[in-house]
Amino acid sequence: MRASSKGFGVSVRGRYQGDGIGLVDDKGRVAIPSALRTMLSANAPKANGKDGGTIIIGAHQKNRCLVAYDPGYVDILAERLDRRESENPAENGEYDYNIKRAAASGEAVPFDGSGRFIMPAFPRFYAGIKGHAFFYGVLDYIEIWDPATLIATDGMPPVVKEMARFYMAEKGVQL
């Protein structure tokens, strides 16, 4: 939710916290879990006041999963990448162009009032997402995983792996 910072009228972005599993159909339609959808809508309300909004879906910089965020995060991401690029020049002073290449993928797609959206084909393919998508809020953005890929990924916190197992077991799927 939006809040004022120390009375100066500065808008503060809401942070993404929450998790859940979504069923993905053959066309890539899936619903954003409600806790995450509420913050997504608050961070980027539709100009016409209707429910729904826009979510940007792209490949994660490091892991075989997706990142999802509201359009307002694009400027924050660009600022962070500009800073990282300028702080890490090559020996010849040239920028490392792969810094932005690795983080700039993204496609804006609409979501409706119930959080349903169509996950773009390439990102879905890249992350190996088929029948289920595990959503996990990591404050600045949302990660979207194929549950089995998440569990097999080295370095993931055990609690996050157990969340994916828990939600899949609720769907009758053991991982």
Side-chain angles (χ1 to χ4, degrees), residues 16-19 36 135-143:
Y16 297 106
Q17 290 184 284
D19 49 78
L36 297 168
F135 290 77
Y136 186 66
V138 291
L139 302 177
D140 291 333
Y141 55 89
I142 302 162
E143 291 183 349

Side-chain angles (χ1 to χ4, degrees), residues 18-122:
D19 49 78
I21 200 90
L23 292 173
V24 182
D25 72 12
D26 292 341
K27 294 181 181 179
R29 287 182 295 229
V30 64
I32 304 161
S34 64
L36 297 168
R37 180 177 68 247
T38 299
M39 192 53 61
L40 185 61
S41 294
N43 280 344
K46 277 185 145 181
N48 63 9
K50 293 188 177 183
D51 288 342
T54 300
I55 186 170
I56 299 173
I57 306 289
H60 191 278
Q61 294 179 57
K62 181 178 177 181
N63 297 120
R64 280 287 191 173
C65 71
L66 304 178
V67 292
Y69 45 88
D70 58 272
Y73 183 67
V74 173
D75 289 336
I76 295 167
L77 179 60
E79 182 180 311
R80 289 177 181 174
L81 294 172
D82 287 344
R83 188 171 44 251
R84 200 160 115 208
E85 190 177 62
S86 68
E87 292 171 354
N88 295 289
E91 288 181 25
N92 66 359
E94 186 84 18
Y95 288 125
D96 179 353
Y97 297 105
N98 286 329
I99 289 173
K100 286 184 180 168
R101 285 181 185 133
S105 78
E107 184 174 337
V109 295
F111 65 92
D112 66 19
S114 64
R116 286 175 44 103
F117 70 98
I118 297 175
M119 199 177 304
F122 175 74

